[in-house]
Amino acid sequence: MADTLNEEKLHAFVGKMLGDLGGAMSVPTARIGFRLGLFDELAKGAASAGELAERAGNLHERYVREWALAQAANGYIDYDAATDRFSLSPEQAMVFVDPDSPVYLAGAFEMVAATIEAEPKVEQCFRKGTGVRWGDHAGCLFCATGAFFRPGYVNHIVQDWIPALDGMEARLKEGAKVADVGCGVGFSTLLMADAYPDSEFVGYDFHGPSIEEARRHAEGHGYGERVRFEVATAKDIAEEDFDLITMYDCLHDMGDPRGCASHMRRILAKDGVWMIVEPMAGDTPADNMNPVGRLYYNASTMICVPTSLDQEVGEGLGAQAGETKLSQVIREGGFSEVRRATEGPFNMVLEARGA
């Protein structure tokens, strides 16, 4: 073993591991910074640890100083050694302060924390081949998931994804009937409802607490009867003749995605469109050995596969299924046309139509 050990590769690998472990240790401190408004206060101007502690609500200066030095070591904020002051750049603010930024990542830190909390449950799945019911993972994973996806939805659903569907944007502006299946806490449904006030939207999710949260989000916004949320699995939706069915980052989580595809074909209007937004992935594991694939494979191990294996059939597509596999599933449901309508660094958007 000693004769074949490459010291240079070993040191490089240990350096990578130090970076990874430092990133992992940043999760709790970053979450504290979000909750206590420390990033928000730094966005208002540079500050010493004492000034930052005072601005954030008279926090304990010693804790704030150690926190700020940790974030500076992370590269999340800037530190001026000459003045002993901390600051936040515009680029850092996009990640840590602006909730409508496409790269705002508060929800990502919450998701990581939830997966760590759920680790013992997922470990048992490895031993028994079982799953973890959505909502039973840990804490408020469904809230964290909604927060994680919201920035992408705010910046892409209306601006890029729906316009990429052939002729659908015009139909929505005229007035269409839309089902948002797997809507979670309703961010995607309400974004579409705001953009297309003459259309009708129904958000469906099998997780009751998510639907309750979606209804709370919708309260007081004057949607009336044109926006509603219902508890139902994808295959149990009874209403039909939808002009557009949307699924945002959820088909791969379903236990029976093929049965789901068949049911979507039944409830879709004859000339309707099914839009499936899925995590960006290549068709082979080798295609996904990159930073995005790394994030999604780890999330899929802890969330997506256990969620699917808890349900009937339990196909366990995983978050890196790829376009070829997803298209096969969709076509088996009775859709004759499947195409990639558009894509981004984190998502692909598939458009499916019947015969």
Side-chain angles (χ1 to χ4, degrees):
M1 179 71 178
D3 293 337
T4 60
L5 184 67
N6 185 313
E7 292 286 345
E8 185 177 346
K9 286 185 178 180
L10 174 62
H11 289 308
F13 184 62
V14 171
K16 167 187 161 49
M17 293 307 303
L18 287 173
D20 288 354
L21 291 169
M25 289 297 292
S26 77
V27 171
T29 59
R31 292 176 73 211
I32 288 172
F34 282 116
R35 288 197 300 270
L36 295 182
L38 291 165
F39 291 117
D40 292 336
E41 290 302 324
L42 273 182
K44 298 175 183 177
S48 66
E51 291 167 342
L52 180 57
E54 182 178 356
R55 277 160 42 180
N58 294 316
L59 301 177
H60 194 285
E61 180 179 347
R62 182 66 188 90
Y63 280 107
V64 170
R65 178 171 179 78
E66 204 73 0
W67 175 89
L69 289 170
Q71 304 321 304
N74 287 335
Y76 296 171
I77 67 176
D78 294 327
Y79 174 60
D80 186 337
T83 62
D84 198 30
R85 291 168 71 80
F86 303 90
S87 61
L88 201 72
S89 71
E91 296 77 19
Q92 291 162 340
M94 287 187 69
V95 172
F96 291 103
V97 176
D98 180 5
D100 289 335
S101 158
V103 291
Y104 182 65
L105 292 178
F109 286 92
E110 294 301 318
M111 283 186 65
V112 171
T115 61
I116 292 171
E117 186 181 342
E119 178 188 322
K121 295 180 181 179
V122 176
E123 181 180 339
Q124 287 303 307
C125 295
F126 276 71
R127 299 179 187 279
K128 299 179 180 179
T130 53
V132 180
R133 189 171 303 278
W134 182 248
D136 288 350
H137 283 258
C140 189
L141 176 63
F142 69 92
C143 301
T145 302
F148 173 69
F149 284 122
R150 181 185 176 278
Y153 296 165
V154 166
N155 287 276
H156 294 293
I157 288 178
V158 174
Q159 299 90 330
D160 305 315
W161 296 346
I162 287 177
L165 305 176
D166 189 18
M168 183 50 63
E169 186 175 37
R171 292 174 66 177
L172 288 167
K173 289 179 178 178
E174 293 171 359
K177 183 179 177 181
V178 182
D180 188 14
V181 180
C183 68
V185 295
F187 289 141
S188 52
T189 317
L190 298 180
L191 284 167
M192 293 188 292
D194 287 337
Y196 306 108
D198 291 324
S199 288
E200 171 190 347
F201 297 86
V202 189
Y204 295 99
D205 202 281
F206 75 152
H207 185 234
S210 290
I211 290 298
E212 291 174 10
E213 188 70 15
R215 288 169 177 163
R216 283 194 290 270
H217 287 152
E219 286 177 4
H221 288 276
Y223 295 114
E225 296 299 316
R226 74 180 188 89
V227 178
R228 51 194 167 87
F229 292 96
E230 306 291 345
V231 177
T233 67
K235 296 198 306 183
D236 287 337
I237 297 171
E239 201 165 339
E240 298 180 344
D241 294 322
F242 290 101
D243 300 297
L244 172 66
I245 297 174
T246 58
M247 279 192 185
Y248 296 101
D249 294 290
C250 65
L251 181 63
H252 67 272
D253 292 318
M254 295 183 180
D256 183 14
R258 298 169 198 275
C260 168
S262 295
H263 193 66
M264 294 306 101
R265 183 68 192 92
R266 284 193 290 273
I267 67 174
L268 193 66
K270 185 176 181 180
D271 60 346
V273 172
W274 181 20
M275 180 173 78
I276 307 99
V277 178
E278 281 286 301
M280 177 55 72
D283 288 326
T284 69
D287 295 330
N288 300 322
M289 296 296 117
N290 54 59
V292 173
R294 178 190 184 189
L295 174 67
Y296 282 143
Y297 273 130
N298 279 283
S300 188
T301 302
M302 298 303 296
I303 303 172
C304 308
V305 170
T307 296
S308 177
L309 265 60
D310 177 69
Q311 303 169 57
E312 61 172 340
V313 180
E315 179 157 339
L317 281 176
Q320 295 288 270
E323 182 179 0
T324 297
K325 182 72 169 181
L326 291 167
S327 296
Q328 176 190 2
V329 168
I330 294 165
R331 290 181 187 278
E332 286 185 14
F335 290 88
S336 59
E337 301 177 33
V338 183
R339 73 177 182 96
R340 186 182 298 201
T342 189
E343 64 183 54
F346 302 109
N347 292 97
M348 69 177 82
V349 180
L350 304 181
E351 176 184 348
R353 296 175 184 266

